Amino acid sequence: MNNIKRTSAHQKRQYLINKLISFGIYKKNDKHLYEWTLCELEAEYQNIEPKELEISSILQLKL
């Protein structure tokens, strides 16, 4: 069971790192994403995602 949780946490970290990189975030305060905790990654993603969705919807309205 612990192995499943560890794998799931690792996959979630990797997903968040990839998403943040796609938004142009590679490091913050001289700390690379791979050095961040899962909680730090989740918090940053939650801060970025609404802004990106807002920008996307504005761009779609202009098209």
Side-chain angles (χ1 to χ4, degrees), residues 36-61:
W36 293 17
T37 65
L38 179 57
C39 292
E40 291 171 322
L41 292 166
E42 288 173 330
E44 187 68 21
Y45 182 71
Q46 288 174 355
N47 287 331
I48 297 300
E49 186 181 28
K51 293 175 188 173
E52 289 297 319
L53 289 174
E54 183 179 320
I55 291 169
S56 294
S57 62
I58 290 171
L59 290 174
Q60 287 177 350
L61 290 175

Side-chain angles (χ1 to χ4, degrees), residues 9-52:
H10 175 73
Q11 289 174 338
K12 188 170 187 176
R13 280 187 84 248
Q14 196 59 48
Y15 171 81
L16 291 170
I17 288 169
N18 290 337
K19 290 301 274 185
L20 290 170
I21 289 171
S22 74
F23 294 141
I25 299 171
Y26 301 95
K27 68 179 187 177
K28 197 171 192 180
N29 299 328
D30 292 328
K31 192 174 176 186
H32 290 274
L33 294 180
Y34 65 85
E35 299 174 294
W36 293 17
T37 65
L38 179 57
C39 292
E40 291 171 322
L41 292 166
E42 288 173 330
E44 187 68 21
Y45 182 71
Q46 288 174 355
N47 287 331
I48 297 300
E49 186 181 28
K51 293 175 188 173
E52 289 297 319

